[in-house]
DNA sequence: GTTAATGCAAATGTTTTGCAGTATA
DNA sequence: TATACTGCAAAACATTTGCATTAAC
């Protein structure tokens, strides 16, 4: 079985946590990576089935949970409908959702640190994550 | 039927949009208002049934959708489990979620405007909403 | 009296779980 | 070979919908 499809780092993470590197996992991670980051479970399933028609939806869900647990992907809830998953990209980034077409754009903005400081001091919280979400209309949908 | 339980503004909004002011709607809005803002559909249902045991869950869902449409409540997805609803409080405010106990704290922070400007210019988006979400551990859960 | 809103039950859609068979290490 | 992972089917769960009845206007 080919293992080249799954990046070394992911492979290492799976391996070092005693998780087996299966065909299905390699494929799912590959699709998530290529998918631009914002796929829901069903979309991931559809795409994966084009390559592995026997793959089941439960496998998709089980592995998304595993990837989440291992920190390989992040889960977002932009709309009321579905969860979206994206491969983690290290740096803190935020999201911009177009209400017209549903497109999600990532952006970085150095707001985290100052905000962290202020809020942390104000509420006694230990802050572990910050995310800014904005919604609006993209240039195309404004027409 | 008593209508005093439902604030004048909400009553006006319902009335002016040709929606009937029912017992159930008055009760639901009342509970949402008292609930500190962060209730999910089922919690709202449970509390409402203490006062109106015959009230049905579909009524809760139907009215939450109506309230959303009229702009009376906001919907948030903090965790993977449920949606949370809160009555709108006019001013832009953000949320802080404790990963230990699930507590949600609101805070205001003047980050919106500058961020709006910068991002709007950068992506050509027309920004209609901004929300900052932070997760962490509250002072009690840190012990 | 009209018509919108409700309660109930059934339908939908997504996510989870049990289990026997399969593939990885 | 041992056991973790998979596929399948069924279960669980939240949310929505159809329809006859009830209540607001």
């Amino acid at each position: 079985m080919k293992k080249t499809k799954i990046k070394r780092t992911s492979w290492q993470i799976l391996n070092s946590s005693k998780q087996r590197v299966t065909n299905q996992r390699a494929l799912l991670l590959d699709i998530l990576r290529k998918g631009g980051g914002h796929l829901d479970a069903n979309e991931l399933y559809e795409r994966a089935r084009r390559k592995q028609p026997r793959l089941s939806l439960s496998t998709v869900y089980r592995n998304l949970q595993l990837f989440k647990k291992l920190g390989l992907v992040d889960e977002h809830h932009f709309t009321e409908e579905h969860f979206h998953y994206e491969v983690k990209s290290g740096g803190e980034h935020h999201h911009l959702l177009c209400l017209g077409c549903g497109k999600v754009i990532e952006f970085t903005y150095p707001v985290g640190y100052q905000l962290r400081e202020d809020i942390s001091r104000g509420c006694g919280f230990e802050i572990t994550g910050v995310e800014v979400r904005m919604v609006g209309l993209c240039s195309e949908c404004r027409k």
Side-chain angles (χ1 to χ4, degrees), chain A residues 89-96 105-112 132:
Chain A
S89 61
E92 188 170 280
H93 61 275
H94 309 298
H95 294 89
L96 185 48
I105 292 177
E106 290 179 10
F107 65 94
T108 55
Y109 191 88
V111 73
V132 178

Side-chain angles (χ1 to χ4, degrees), chain A residues 96-103 105 134-143:
Chain A
L96 185 48
L97 169 69
C98 176
L99 295 173
C101 58
K103 179 168 51 193
I105 292 177
M134 304 178 87
V135 296
L137 286 173
C138 72
S139 47
E140 284 173 26
C141 289
R142 279 161 71 185
K143 291 170 195 166

Side-chain angles (χ1 to χ4, degrees), chain A residues 40-143:
Chain A
D40 61 29
N42 198 60
E43 181 63 26
L44 178 57
Y45 173 61
E46 295 294 349
R47 295 195 192 185
R49 272 173 81 93
R50 290 182 208 147
K51 297 233 167 177
Q52 289 188 26
R54 290 184 48 96
L55 177 135
S56 79
L57 192 50
S58 8
T59 298
V60 172
Y61 278 108
R62 274 189 286 236
N63 282 318
L64 280 174
Q65 289 199 173
L66 175 69
F67 298 159
K68 255 195 300 174
K69 199 167 64 186
L70 296 179
L72 291 173
V73 303
D74 270 334
E75 186 181 72
H76 296 276
H77 311 181
F78 292 109
T79 68
E80 44 260 53
E81 287 122 33
H82 305 296
F83 302 168
H84 290 243
Y85 298 88
E86 68 180 337
V87 282
K88 257 190 176 151
S89 61
E92 188 170 280
H93 61 275
H94 309 298
H95 294 89
L96 185 48
L97 169 69
C98 176
L99 295 173
C101 58
K103 179 168 51 193
V104 177
I105 292 177
E106 290 179 10
F107 65 94
T108 55
Y109 191 88
V111 73
Y113 181 72
Q114 187 59 46
L115 199 61
R116 243 175 238 250
E117 277 294 288
D118 291 351
I119 301 302
S120 187
R121 200 175 307 117
C123 317
F125 258 66
E126 178 184 326
I127 307 289
T128 58
V130 182
E131 194 202 342
V132 178
R133 295 169 177 229
M134 304 178 87
V135 296
L137 286 173
C138 72
S139 47
E140 284 173 26
C141 289
R142 279 161 71 185
K143 291 170 195 166

